[in-house]
Each structure stands twice: as C-alpha cells, then as structure tokens.
C-alpha cells in the first residue's frame, strides 16, 4: 500500500470483478447500436480504459475535459467545460463515463448538453457513487460501487493531480491532505 494511503476501500481484484458485471449490463443496453462513449477527463481515464476493453461492440471514444474540484477535496460548485468539442451527437447513442458521482453537477451538466445537442439516447456509467444528497437531480444508470461521503483517490481519481495511478481506491491520511493543500 502507498505510504500516503490510510486505508484501501476497494481493492484491485474487487474492481476487476465488478467491471465484468458492468460491461455485461452496458452491452445489454446498447447491443446492436454504434455507441459513442464520452469520457470525462481526467478522472475517468483509467476506469474507461478497463471497461471498454470488456465491450466487444462497435464504439467511438470522445473526451470531455470538465473540472469542478479545482485541486481540493470539496466540489467548487461550478462545472467548467475546459474543452467541449465533440463530433455531432444528433441521433447518437451515448454512454457518459465518469469516475465518481458526488454532487451530481458534472453529470447533470454533461447529460443536459448531450440531450440539447440531439442525442437519441444518453446513459451514464460511474465507477463510484457517493451516498449523499445531490445538488443536481441526477443518478447514474450503471454504478460500480456505492461509497460513503468521503474523499477517495486512486484508479484515476486524484488529489492535487497525484495518486491516479494507484490500482485501488483508497483514503488518504489526514496529514497528507493537510500537507498538500
Ligand atoms: P460532482 O460533484 O460534479 O463531482 O458529481 C464529480 C467530479 O468531482 C470529482 N470528485 C472527486 N475526485 N475524489 C476525487 O479524486 C473524490 O472523492 C471526488 N469526489 C468528486 C471528480 O473529478 C468527479 O468527476
């Protein structure tokens, strides 16, 4: 375990097994369709790469650079589309993939944009969903794991840009958050 991590919440093996189930469910939803997968950068990169390799259906990958945390451990409350260029989504079947559903603002903003641009179907998949009241009315269609309302890192999720490469989901030591803040 990394020395900055206080405890592992979800280990690698458990994530792998859950991805098999998630991929099966996504397949059932989009079978026979050509899928556009919209990855929310940067947190969903690791999760998406592992999920998509389990999906043997025709799909394109597009990326959206969206920020709401701006380096801290609490949502800033504002969703910024840093780079919102997508090919036309009109009539498309779209799967939005994000690392974690927290306040719900990010997913709500992205889904709204996709519907407004004329997508035929928009579904969402998140690795983690925090058990808390959402600021925006949204829930994900496919969820890897429900977790408590605490700040987590690893498997794509960062603190101050670090820890995305940990192969598990973990909770940082309090003193590390203090030191890096
Ligand atoms: P909202 O609040 O819009 O948040 O649902 C979604 C985005 O916030 C970031 N986020 C976290 N990042 N550990 C992280 O490293 C966390 O516990 C956490 N909670 C939210 C993340 O970028 C997510 O896409």
């Amino acid at each position: 375990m990394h020395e900055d991590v206080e405890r592992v919440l979800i280990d690698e093996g458990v994530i792998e097994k859950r991805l098999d189930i998630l991929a099966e469910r996504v397949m059932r939803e989009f079978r026979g369709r050509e899928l556009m997968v919209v990855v929310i950068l940067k947190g969903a990169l690791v999760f998406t790469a592992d999920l998509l390799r389990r999906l043997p259906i025709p799909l394109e990958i597009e990326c959206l650079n969206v920020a709401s945390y701006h380096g801290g451990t609490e949502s800033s409350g504002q969703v910024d589309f840093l780079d919102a260029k997508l090919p036309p989504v009109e009539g498309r079947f779209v799967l939005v993939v994000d690392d974690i559903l927290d306040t719900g603002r990010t997913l709500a903003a992205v889904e709204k944009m996709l519907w407004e641009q004329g997508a035929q179907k928009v579904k969402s998949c998140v690795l983690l969903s925090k058990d808390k009241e959402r600021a925006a009315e949204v829930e994900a269609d496919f969820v890897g794991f429900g977790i408590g309302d605490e700040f987590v890192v690893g498997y794509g999720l960062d603190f101050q840009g670090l820890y995305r490469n940990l192969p598990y989901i973990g909770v940082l030591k309090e003193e590390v958050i203090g030191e890096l803040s």
Side-chain angles (χ1 to χ4, degrees):
M1 190 168 79
H2 191 291
E3 60 181 2
D4 293 352
V5 172
E6 182 189 270
R7 67 197 145 87
V8 173
L9 207 59
I10 310 169
D11 77 29
E12 213 176 339
V14 174
I15 295 175
E16 298 247 312
K17 285 200 188 106
R18 185 67 186 154
L19 289 193
D20 291 341
I21 295 168
L22 276 184
E24 185 57 44
R25 292 187 182 159
V26 171
M27 284 257 292
R28 247 183 272 145
E29 180 75 45
F30 290 103
R31 187 165 285 141
R33 305 291 185 190
E34 197 169 295
L35 184 60
M36 180 190 281
V37 177
V38 173
V39 189
I40 307 205
L41 297 178
K42 300 171 191 164
L45 267 177
V46 177
F47 170 43
T48 310
D50 285 348
L51 181 72
L52 297 192
R53 278 177 291 180
R54 289 167 164 82
L55 284 182
I57 55 173
L59 59 83
E60 283 166 42
I61 305 175
E62 300 295 337
C63 297
L64 270 185
N65 205 349
V66 178
S68 63
Y69 260 56
H70 309 295
T73 60
E74 294 286 337
S75 170
S76 69
Q78 189 191 325
V79 179
D80 293 325
F81 284 80
L82 306 177
D83 177 6
K85 281 189 216 89
L86 286 180
V89 294
E90 202 176 334
R92 300 297 307 266
F93 291 75
V94 184
L95 178 71
V96 181
V97 185
D98 204 359
D99 50 359
I100 188 165
L101 183 60
D102 184 6
T103 65
R105 289 191 184 99
T106 304
L107 193 56
V110 171
E111 287 192 348
K112 180 167 176 274
M113 184 267 285
L114 291 165
W115 285 121
E116 282 174 359
Q117 291 188 15
Q120 185 160 339
K121 188 187 238 186
V122 179
K123 294 281 174 184
S124 56
C125 180
V126 296
L127 177 69
L128 305 171
S129 173
K130 282 189 186 173
D131 182 14
K132 66 188 281 187
E133 208 174 304
R134 311 270 179 241
E137 248 184 69
V138 69
E139 282 306 325
D141 299 289
F142 306 98
V143 175
F145 304 93
I147 63 167
D149 187 10
E150 61 185 338
F151 189 79
V152 293
V153 296
Y155 201 70
L157 292 126
D158 74 307
F159 176 61
Q160 306 269 2
L162 299 174
Y163 310 106
R164 293 191 198 275
N165 53 334
L166 296 178
Y168 49 80
I169 302 289
V171 177
L172 286 176
K173 290 177 181 162
E174 253 175 52
E175 64 262 32
V176 173
I177 291 178
E179 260 167 42
L180 291 179
S181 292

